[in-house]
Amino acid sequence: MADPTDKEIEEVMARVRKLELKARRLVRESFSGEYQSSFRGQGLDFDDFREYQHGDEIRFIDWNVTARMNSPFIRKFREERELSVVLAVDVSGSADFGSVHFSKREAAAEAAAILGFSAIGNGDKVGLLLFADEPLLFVPPAKGTRHLLRIVREILIARPKNPGTSIKAACDHLVQTLRRRAVVFMISDFFSDPLDKPLGKLARKHETLALQIIDPLEEKLPKAGRVALTDPETGWEVMVNTNNPNLRMGYEKLMRRQHEGVAKICRRHGIDTAQLSTDRDRLGDLHRMLKQRARKRVR
């Protein structure tokens, strides 16, 4: 795909500013609490020493201090509050599809803005991985509004030369690149193979959440006569008669099976999920996912 023109970039920046205002309002009014209660610090910072007490873990005994004091002392730690949040966003060919008001790319950018402003407001760092059939751009986690607005802009202007999708390539890149444990939001329609092993490998190393971007036309075909269906990632085209009830039923069954397959894989690896549709409010779906996470953390 061609690089965006100056006019297209101006239009994108106008959308970024609009997204910023919307995301800030949503975070301020109703989202920051769910974010804070769903995520804790990932590491431990040394705090102080204290005398060993029955039941303390032996691995925390500091033998140098113990030798000086002639009594066992252990190292105390405090939880490190600051998180690194990485938004892994699929910008493959199918990301530009949208049958209603928004494309999948725009829905992904909105979700990224909401999560990003929540993270920054909580003192966390935010990074970005853009990918299609290969990793396209990695922006290391950092703080600041300008940094986040750059991330949103990159999501909206990315134009991969090869429009295919590889979740595996994205997961491998994150596993190799992120040295410290991070919170990773994988934002994609997940029309990609394989999924199971790559997502499992990522989830073992990083706290992983999956946001599946869906469009109503991909779930259910309308009755619209003969139409040409084109795969935006392969260019493959087929003419179908959507008046055929068996075809519509088969298509709906196939898409339901795909969604259920993604959900099953995520459950297997302890990955929390949400479906974000291009035709409805996405904040409610993010709310539900984070509330479920918060409930699990207090059990």
Side-chain angles (χ1 to χ4, degrees):
M1 296 183 184
D3 291 334
T5 64
D6 290 342
K7 182 179 179 181
E8 288 173 331
I9 290 177
E10 283 182 19
E11 292 173 351
V12 166
M13 291 312 297
R15 287 153 65 194
V16 169
R17 287 189 287 271
K18 187 176 179 180
L19 263 179
E20 178 190 6
L21 293 174
K22 181 178 180 181
R24 282 182 180 277
R25 177 177 57 80
L26 292 173
V27 169
R28 184 176 62 251
E29 292 177 357
S30 58
F31 197 74
S32 59
E34 274 80 3
Y35 177 90
Q36 290 175 7
S37 60
S38 297
F39 300 106
R40 298 195 188 106
Q42 299 296 309
L44 295 173
D45 282 343
F46 171 73
D47 186 24
D48 200 355
F49 297 104
R50 67 167 173 79
E51 282 196 77
Y52 176 84
Q53 298 175 3
H54 179 71
D56 287 336
E57 292 195 49
I58 296 176
R59 64 193 177 100
F60 291 140
I61 291 178
D62 188 290
W63 297 107
N64 291 328
V65 176
T66 295
R68 288 200 308 271
M69 304 299 291
N70 291 318
S71 177
F73 273 73
I74 67 166
R75 297 186 297 274
K76 289 198 308 178
F77 298 88
R78 63 174 178 270
E79 186 179 60
E80 180 188 351
R81 175 57 259 180
E82 182 179 277
L83 298 175
S84 288
V85 175
V86 177
L87 306 166
V89 183
D90 175 1
V91 290
S92 62
S94 61
D96 289 316
F97 178 75
S99 64
V100 193
H101 304 297
F102 293 93
S103 67
K104 293 182 186 177
R105 181 195 296 266
E106 290 169 319
E110 181 182 279
I114 292 170
L115 293 167
F117 279 113
S118 297
I120 286 176
N122 202 48
D124 299 331
K125 297 178 180 179
V126 184
L128 173 70
L129 173 67
L130 291 182
F131 68 94
D133 70 330
E134 63 181 359
L136 302 173
L137 173 69
F138 179 72
V139 179
K143 296 182 179 182
T145 297
R146 290 183 63 184
H147 173 77
L148 180 58
L149 293 180
R150 180 208 167 183
I151 284 176
V152 176
R153 176 182 178 273
E154 295 288 359
I155 295 171
L156 291 172
I157 68 170
R159 295 292 183 268
K161 292 180 179 178
N162 299 314
T165 309
S166 176
I167 297 289
K168 180 181 184 303
C171 290
D172 288 346
H173 185 84
L174 290 170
V175 168
Q176 294 165 11
T177 304
L178 298 174
R179 299 302 178 190
R180 297 182 61 190
R181 186 169 174 83
V183 175
V184 176
F185 288 92
M186 184 67 67
I187 307 175
S188 173
D189 55 19
F190 293 94
F191 290 140
S192 172
D193 286 320
L195 289 176
D196 192 3
K197 289 184 179 179
L199 286 174
K201 183 179 180 182
L202 180 65
R204 284 192 294 274
K205 187 171 182 182
H206 301 287
E207 191 168 359
T208 305
L209 300 92
L211 304 182
Q212 186 175 22
I213 309 294
I214 61 176
D215 186 272
L217 197 58
E218 290 177 333
E219 297 185 285
K220 191 173 183 179
L221 280 177
K223 190 176 180 180
R226 293 181 64 82
V227 298
L229 299 181
T230 304
D231 186 327
E233 299 190 4
T234 64
W236 184 74
E237 185 175 305
V238 62
M239 186 69 70
V240 298
N241 180 9
T242 60
N243 288 339
N244 185 330
N246 291 329
L247 181 139
R248 294 199 308 274
M249 189 182 304
Y251 177 88
E252 189 174 343
K253 184 177 180 180
L254 179 67
M255 297 307 296
R256 185 167 60 247
R257 189 178 300 165
Q258 192 269 344
H259 292 334
E260 290 171 351
V262 172
K264 183 177 180 181
I265 288 170
C266 290
R267 283 196 302 271
R268 182 181 302 142
H269 299 296
I271 298 172
D272 289 309
T273 63
Q275 283 191 342
L276 309 182
S277 180
T278 59
D279 73 333
R280 67 171 183 260
D281 174 36
R282 286 160 288 281
L283 185 65
D285 298 308
L286 287 171
H287 263 305
R288 282 187 286 275
M289 179 185 69
L290 295 188
K291 282 182 178 178
Q292 289 173 357
R293 283 181 56 81
R295 282 197 294 268
K296 286 194 292 186
R297 297 183 85 92
V298 298
R299 285 176 185 171

